[in-house]
Amino acid sequence: MKFYNSVGPNPHVVRMFMAEKGLDIPQQQVDLMKGENRQPPYAHTVNVAGQMPALELDDGTVVCEITAICEYLEEIAPQPVLIGATAEQRAETRMWTRRIDLNIVEPLTSGFRAAEGRPLFESRFRLVRAEAAEDLKAIAKDKILWLDGLMDGRDFVCGDRFSLADILLFCFLAFGTQVGQPLPSEAKWLPAWFERVKEIGRASCRERV
């Protein structure tokens, strides 16, 4: 297999998922800053959507979209369980992953692209108006606090299970802190959860060294 990697929160999700699984998959770097993901050969033969990342399988099949890649990796390397050991657990993880993706990831990243990231992305694809950036960021903040209020008493998003939902949320909140969208000061559950997940990631990296 080969993992097409780059800067950005999307590849970060898959790298963290692979690290938790103990998977060491060869990587090929794609220069996102130079737009290589929107140019041939990557955009023609690897991911026609021009997005990062992508996972090329041994038979040449390419899997794109971070949740699809992680689902595939869970299938071929089921331990440790990061999506679910039962139908109920898998449904719960997918439910929260979908909620986080739609309610937090989408407005957070769209707000960034419309403002701080505009010089990088405006020549590559259509963006929302710059004036919409603050509204998008506010929507992301509202939903972050909505999630924060629901998580009281839990260690992780899915209760006592560390899962893909935590990885997705962590990687994009970490990205937010780097691009002017820090954790809301009103959040009560998220700060301790964030440090807990950060330490899990550090431990996985230490184990692989």
Side-chain angles (χ1 to χ4, degrees):
M1 288 190 291
K2 179 165 59 177
F3 180 62
Y4 291 86
N5 185 36
S6 73
V7 298
N10 284 294
H12 186 193
V13 171
V14 180
R15 290 197 309 271
M16 188 169 178
F17 195 90
M18 292 192 299
E20 293 303 312
K21 291 284 185 182
L23 296 171
D24 189 12
I25 298 174
Q27 299 184 13
Q28 180 170 322
Q29 292 298 126
V30 177
D31 195 333
L32 181 72
M33 303 303 289
K34 291 183 178 179
E36 287 184 356
N37 57 305
R38 295 271 164 173
Q39 304 167 13
Y42 182 84
H44 286 187
T45 61
V46 179
N47 186 348
V48 295
Q51 298 170 334
M52 297 298 301
L55 180 67
E56 184 177 328
L57 310 186
D58 292 339
D59 67 356
T61 301
V62 177
V63 181
C64 305
E65 308 299 336
I66 56 176
T67 52
I69 294 171
C70 291
E71 292 267 5
Y72 174 79
L73 295 176
E74 179 98 339
E75 290 280 343
I76 66 168
Q79 296 297 326
V81 175
L82 292 177
I83 295 177
T86 65
E88 291 77 13
Q89 287 183 352
R90 290 189 290 273
E92 181 184 33
T93 303
R94 289 163 179 155
M95 174 184 73
W96 283 111
T97 298
R98 180 66 170 164
R99 287 173 171 172
I100 291 165
D101 198 9
L102 288 177
N103 294 309
I104 297 173
V105 170
E106 286 294 329
L108 186 154
T109 53
S110 293
F112 161 71
R113 293 188 191 109
E116 294 88 352
R118 196 171 199 91
L120 180 63
F121 293 108
E122 63 183 346
S123 64
R124 303 182 188 182
F125 50 81
R126 187 181 298 276
L127 301 172
V128 300
R129 292 175 301 164
E131 307 89 82
E134 292 309 312
D135 285 337
L136 288 164
K137 293 177 183 181
I139 290 169
K141 180 180 177 181
D142 288 346
K143 290 302 183 179
I144 289 169
L145 290 173
W146 167 78
L147 182 68
D148 181 77
L150 293 174
M151 294 292 109
D152 185 45
R154 301 185 182 201
D155 288 334
F156 302 106
V157 173
C158 293
D160 60 355
R161 290 191 300 114
F162 178 68
S163 73
L164 173 60
D166 296 287
I167 294 173
L168 180 69
L169 182 62
F170 174 80
C171 291
F172 278 90
L173 292 184
F175 174 72
T177 65
Q178 298 170 357
V179 295
Q181 297 183 65
L183 286 180
S185 58
E186 307 96 312
K188 298 178 180 179
W189 177 82
L190 279 166
W193 166 88
F194 191 87
E195 292 304 314
R196 190 155 51 245
V197 176
K198 182 189 292 186
E199 184 51 39
I200 289 173
R202 286 173 177 164
S204 295
C205 290
R206 287 196 294 267
E207 288 174 3
R208 294 182 67 193
V209 172

